[in-house]
Amino acid sequence: MSARYEYGIDFGSVEAIDFHAHVEIDGCGHRSMDDELMAASEKYFRSGEERTPTIGSIAQHYRERNMAAVVFTVDASSASGHQPNNVEEIAERAAEFNDVLIPFGSVDPWQGKAAVRRVHRLVDDFGVKGFKFHPSMQGFEPNDRRFYPVYAAIEEAGVPALFHTGQTGIGAGLPGGHGIKLRYSDPMLLDDVAADFPDLTIVMAHPAVPWVDAQISIATHKANAYLDLSGWSPKYFPPQLVRASNSMLREKVLFGSDFPVIGVDRWRTDFATLDIKPAVAPLILRENALRVLGIEQ
């Protein structure tokens, strides 16, 4: 095993932290989804970006922009029957580019005690700084108590959990949505988790269309709940989310692009057109992510 990941990022000088960047494929085993789902996702996002950049090219992409990025894949092997990218190898590769990349782990929640053991191994042996879940892809209700031991392990490790919420481009337009159920990504299911694990930092990924109002309510009510703004161009953000980001959620909202399906440059260009207060923009682009990651400045 290569060296355990440790931060090498100069957090005082990076301009922004992208909290949501996918590793679709690399020398890390497999695609994170099959070809049919990949094609449907590309059609949904109308993405002109390269969908399968290597970890090295991802690092260079962000380094050129004086940014850091949280990178991850999703282990949905039980629900999909499809092996994910190698989570451990992603962490090892990120350690080679620790001046710019921040690895998150992923576990299949259906694997029970094995998932709990893997949480501890990924943190202790590989140095991952958080965990990514996609309830719709992984086929589980986040507030089902069968999965609580996984959250307890993450809470004990003191790292955040990032959950996909709302609509997903994965399976969009396919018969039956390829069997992917949107209701698993209703953020209200995470309200239970946030209440039952008050020391677990939860980040709700994406403006959670069609449940944005619920998402705003949860992030306002639960001190340990945040949200990232990935997966949508900012010009399409619901107006109530922009208002909340400028006011009561100014310290609870994180920049995220959804790279590579949403380009970093496109996201930031469109974000600059929003009526975001000058004092709030640095919080969204960097400072709130540092708080979630437990980085003291």
Side-chain angles (χ1 to χ4, degrees):
M1 185 179 73
S2 62
R4 179 183 186 273
Y5 177 91
E6 299 290 349
Y7 284 123
I9 300 167
D10 182 355
F11 287 109
S13 65
V14 293
E15 184 177 334
I17 299 171
D18 185 344
F19 215 81
H20 203 108
H22 292 267
V23 178
E24 300 279 14
I25 194 170
D26 198 357
C28 301
H30 303 271
R31 283 188 189 272
S32 56
M33 64 185 84
D34 63 35
D35 290 339
E36 185 178 23
L37 288 178
M38 181 75 79
S41 176
E42 290 172 350
K43 181 177 179 181
Y44 176 84
F45 283 105
R46 301 177 185 175
S47 176
E49 299 286 336
E50 167 60 48
R51 284 299 300 268
T52 57
T54 65
I55 291 178
S57 66
I58 293 171
Q60 185 61 24
H61 184 79
Y62 284 94
R63 190 180 293 118
E64 290 171 353
R65 290 156 176 79
N66 190 29
M67 297 169 59
V70 171
V71 293
F72 49 76
T73 192
V74 176
D75 186 343
S77 49
S78 291
S80 69
H82 185 78
Q83 289 300 309
N85 288 334
N86 187 307
V87 176
E88 288 78 5
E89 189 171 347
I90 289 172
E92 290 180 329
R93 293 295 312 283
E96 300 174 25
F97 306 100
N98 71 339
D99 63 312
V100 65
L101 299 183
I102 303 166
F104 271 27
S106 182
V107 298
D108 181 347
W110 289 106
Q111 292 181 355
K113 292 181 180 178
V116 172
R117 291 193 295 270
R118 195 180 190 195
V119 165
H120 291 300
R121 186 171 71 252
L122 284 167
V123 173
D124 296 341
D125 296 345
F126 292 89
V128 304
K129 303 304 180 183
F131 286 85
K132 171 65 189 297
F133 296 93
H134 194 308
S136 291
M137 277 191 70
Q138 294 174 306
F140 78 108
E141 293 178 317
N143 63 346
D144 188 322
R145 288 181 174 269
R146 286 178 291 180
F147 309 117
Y148 273 27
V150 175
Y151 307 146
I154 297 172
E155 182 181 56
E156 180 183 351
V159 298
L162 174 66
F163 288 83
H164 172 93
T165 59
Q167 165 74 319
T168 180
I170 300 170
L174 298 179
H178 205 270
I180 293 168
K181 297 175 181 178
L182 298 181
R183 68 180 179 87
Y184 292 151
S185 293
D186 183 340
M188 285 307 298
L189 301 178
L190 295 174
D191 185 65
D192 292 350
V193 180
D196 293 339
F197 293 91
D199 294 325
L200 174 63
T201 298
I202 293 172
V203 180
M204 298 173 283
H206 319 304
V209 174
W211 302 293
V212 171
D213 290 333
Q215 185 182 42
I216 292 170
S217 180
I218 295 164
T220 303
H221 188 255
K222 301 294 190 294
N224 54 321
Y226 296 74
L227 63 97
D228 83 33
L229 297 172
S230 65
W232 296 79
S233 164
K235 67 182 178 181
Y236 298 123
F237 287 172
Q240 68 269 38
L241 179 58
V242 177
R243 289 194 299 270
S245 299
N246 247 337
S247 55
M248 57 189 176
L249 293 185
R250 59 189 289 154
E251 294 185 346
K252 304 297 288 291
V253 175
L254 317 175
F255 158 49
S257 68
D258 215 9
F259 177 90
V261 296
I262 301 289
V264 176
D265 297 336
R266 172 190 173 191
W267 192 99
R268 293 201 63 186
T269 296
D270 291 346
F271 180 74
T273 68
L274 298 181
D275 187 20
I276 298 294
K277 298 173 184 176
V280 173
L283 299 177
I284 294 173
L285 292 174
R286 191 184 71 152
E287 301 303 323
N288 294 340
L290 293 177
R291 186 180 307 108
V292 169
L293 292 169
I295 305 297
E296 296 184 2
Q297 291 291 288

